[in-house]
Amino acid sequence: MQQVNKWPSGLVNKPLRYCPGCGHGIVHRIVGECLEELGIRERTVGIAPVGCSVFADEYFNCDMIQGPHGRGPAIATGIKRSKPECIVFSYQGDGDLASIGMAETVHSAARSENITVIFINNAIYGMTGGQMAPTTLIGQQASTCPRGRTVQANGYPIRVCELLAQLEGARYLERTSTHTAAHVIKAKKAIRQAFQNQIDGKGFSLVEVLSICPTNWGLTPLQSLKFVTEKMMPMYPLGVFRTPDAAAGAATEGGAA
Amino acid sequence: MMYQGIRISGFGGQGVISAGILLAQAGLLEGKNVSWFPAYGAEMRGGTANCSVVIASDEVSSPVVSRPDTVIVMNEPSLAKFEPLVKPGGLLIINSSLVKSQPTRKDIRVVAVACNKIAEEVGTTKIANMVALGAFAGATGAVSVDGIAKALPKVFKRAKPEMLQMNVTALKMGAAAAK
Amino acid sequence: MGEKILMKGNEALAEGAIRAGCRFFSGYPITPQNEVPEYMSWRLPDEGGTFIQAESEVAAINMIYGAAATGIRAMTSSSSPGISLKQEGISYCAGADLPFFYANVVRGGPGLGNIAAAQGDYNQSVRGGGHGDYRVIVMAPNSVDEMGNFPKLCFELAEKYRMPAMVLADGILGQMMEPIEFKFERVDPAKLPAKDWALGNSAGRAKRVVKSYDLREGELEKINLRRMAAYRKIEQDEVRFEAKNCEGADLVVVAYGTSSRIAAGAIKLARDKGLKVGLFRPITLWPFPKKQLAGLAGKAKKLLVVEMSMGQFVDDVRLAVNGAIAVDLYARPAGIPSAEEVMAEIEKACQGIKAAPAATAAAPKQRGRPKGSKNKKTKAKRTVRKRAARKQAKRGRKGGRR
C-alpha cells in the first residue's frame, strides 16, 4: 500500500496549540513540508516572532530562535551573515512585520538579505486579544477600534507586498491565501520558491499569506473564509509582485474592481 | 619631572589636529608619556578646531589640558579664547601672519612667528602648522625638531618624500624663528 | 604583542575586539563612538568578518542577537542614547544566555544631552539596563591601553558565564590618543571551542532553541535562580580593581574611568603637599569590589567619591562600606573636572578629617549575609521583622499624639 500522507519531518510531532480554525497550522505544515522536501531541515534556523506564533520555536523541527517583537529580519541578518551556509527564515505576523518591525522589514529587503520571510496577514492582533493591526481593514472592528477602523482616526491599512515592490533588493514577493485547498497548494508553491531562492542565493524573498483568525474576528471558521474573499482580497489582491528575474509583477486575483 | 600641557587652536584646515598628533607621536618616540585629545563633533563644525596634547615624564592624568603650559594660536579667534588659559609663566606661540591683535597678559612669555609667511617661503601655506611646531620645539625643548621629523612618516603614512622634506624644512625654520 | 603604538581609544577598542576574535559587528552612527564602526567597516572584511551599518540601534542589537546565537564573537558599540535603544535586545540576550560584547562610549545626558564625556549611564550599566532581572559584566577602562585590552577579557567572561559583557567608556576615552600595547596573542576564532548551544548545523543532534521566555508554571523562576547563582559566583571570582597608595592613607579617593585619571593627577598634587591620599579604582563596576572597599573602612578615615554624574556611583560605594566610613561626594554631572578642582575637594575632605574623629567607631559589627543554618537566618529575619513592628507601633503612637 502506498503512503499518501504523513507528518512532515520539518514539524515536531506534537499537537499545535493555536485556536480552532486558526491559519497558522496550515502555514506551519507548509513550511515543515518545504524543509523536508528541499532537504534543508538540518541546516535551517527559524525565527519565531512575538505574537501568536511565538510558540513556533516548539513546532518547527529545526534550530529556532525567538526574538523581540518585529526584529525577525534583523536577527535573520545576523544569523545568515554569520553562517551563510544556513537557510534562515523569519516567521512573522502583521503587527510584528508591518507595524513595530516595519523598519527591519524594509531595510532587510533593501539590503536584499538572502533570507526567507513568511508573513501571516490576518488583519488583527491575535495574541494580545484582537487589537487593530496595520493591516486591519477600513470598517473592520477591533478591540482598539471598536466602532470599526476609520481613515480619520486610524489611517489606511498597509499593503506590504506592494510597498516592498518598490525596492530593488526585494527579489521575490508573492501574496497568497489559505482559504481554499487550491489556494493552500499555491501558497505552498510560493513558500517553496521563497526557500529555493535562498538556496540559489537570489536574495530577499517574502511570501504574504492571508490567514483567518475566527477567534478575534468574532466569526465562525466558515464565515471567516468568506471574509477573506469578500473583504480581504479586494484590499490585498493575490499575486506575484516581484520575481528575481522580472521586475514588478501584477495582481492575478482579487483587488478592487 | 617634566610635564608639558599644550593646546593648539586654529581654523579647520590649518592642520592643528594633525599637528597635535604629530607632537604626541614625537613625544612617544622620545620615550615620554603622551596623550592627545581633540575638540570633536559639533564643536568642530563652527570652523575652529583645537586639541590638547600632554608630553610628560610621569603618567598622564587628564588628557584634557584646561590650564596649558603652552598655547599655540594659529588664528585670530583662538587668541581671545585661549590666552586667558595659559598658566602664569607659560608660553603663548602666536601665528603673527594671521593674528593681528596683541596679547594682553604680562605674566606669560609670548613668541610671535609668522607661520604662514615662512611656510609660503618653504613652498606652501599648508605647512604653517609645521612652522608652529618647530617654534614650539625651539622655544621649549619639550621635544626636538629631530623627534618631530622622525614622527612625520608615522603620522602621514601616505605623504610623498618631497612633501615630508618640506615639512622638515618648515620645522627647522620655525625653530630658528622662535629662538 | 610588542610595540607601543599611538591610537585613538575608539580604534583601540575596535582593533582589540578583532584581535580577540570578533568577526561580527553591527552598529549605527552616533558621536562620540563613530570611529568604532568606521574602523570595523574596513578592518573586519579583511579578517573575513562581517560589518553591517544597521538601520537603527534597535536593528543593530538584534543582528547581534542573531549572530551571537550562532556562537560567533559578536560586538556592537554606541553612545548613551543609542545604548538606551539597544536595551531591549540586551535584555533578550541576557534572557537567552547569549554571550556578546558591547561598548558604551558615554556622552552627556539625559535626552540628547551633549557629546562630551560623562558618566551618567552608570546606573543603567551596573543594574542591567533593560527590562527584567539580570546583570551584565561591566568593565571600566581608564586608558587607551585598557580600551584595547579589555574587549578580549569581555569576550572571555561573556562566554564563560554566557551573558553580555560591556566596556563602559566615555567621550574622552573614545576620542583621545595614547600609546597602546596589545598584551595578548591574536585569537583565531576557528580554534575557539565549539559551543554546545549554538544554532546552525543540526545534523546528527536534537534541534536547539534560543529563547528568553518560558511560560510554564514556575519555570522562569528556576531559570532566574540558576542565573542568580551564576551572578553570585561572578561577584566572588571576577572582581577587578586597582588600589594605589591606599595603605596608610587618611583619605581614599574612589573613582572609575576618566574620573580616576583626573583624580590620580589631583592625588599627585595632594601628596606633594604632604596629604596622605590614596586612590581606589574599581575596574569591574559589576561585579563591584564591595569587600575591597569595605576593607578600607578600618584603615582610611574618609572616602571621597569623584564621579562625572549626580551621585550614582557613590551609592554603590556607600552600600559597600555600609556606614562604616564617611563618604564624601564630588559630583560633576556632564562636567569634566580638572585635577586642580579635584585637589580642592581633597583638601576640603582632609580638613573634615582633622576636625572630626575617625568614623570607624561608628562601624556596625557586621555586614553581608548572615552565615550559618537556615534557622539562624529565620531568626535574624524574625528579629528584623520584630524591630520593624516595634518601629511601626512607635510611629503609630507618635502619630496618635499629634
Side-chain angles (χ1 to χ4, degrees), chain C residues 21-59:
Chain C
C22 174
R23 290 297 178 272
F24 187 95
F25 181 98
S26 53
Y28 186 83
I30 183 170
T31 308
Q33 64 85 54
N34 292 318
E35 292 80 3
V36 184
E38 282 168 0
Y39 191 90
M40 287 296 193
S41 71
W42 65 268
R43 188 73 175 78
L44 258 182
D46 285 352
E47 297 282 342
T50 302
F51 166 84
I52 304 178
Q53 179 168 327
E55 59 269 35
S56 67
E57 282 92 350
V58 174

Side-chain angles (χ1 to χ4, degrees), chain A residues 8-53:
Chain A
S9 66
L11 272 189
V12 175
N13 194 346
K14 69 194 276 188
L16 306 182
R17 284 174 298 175
Y18 296 112
C19 300
C22 172
H24 277 308
I26 297 170
V27 186
H28 276 28
R29 183 171 176 115
I30 290 174
V31 171
E33 286 178 359
C34 288
L35 297 187
E36 176 179 306
E37 290 166 16
L38 294 168
I40 54 174
R41 186 187 70 79
E42 290 181 326
R43 60 179 174 115
T44 295
V45 181
I47 297 141
V50 167
C52 289
S53 47

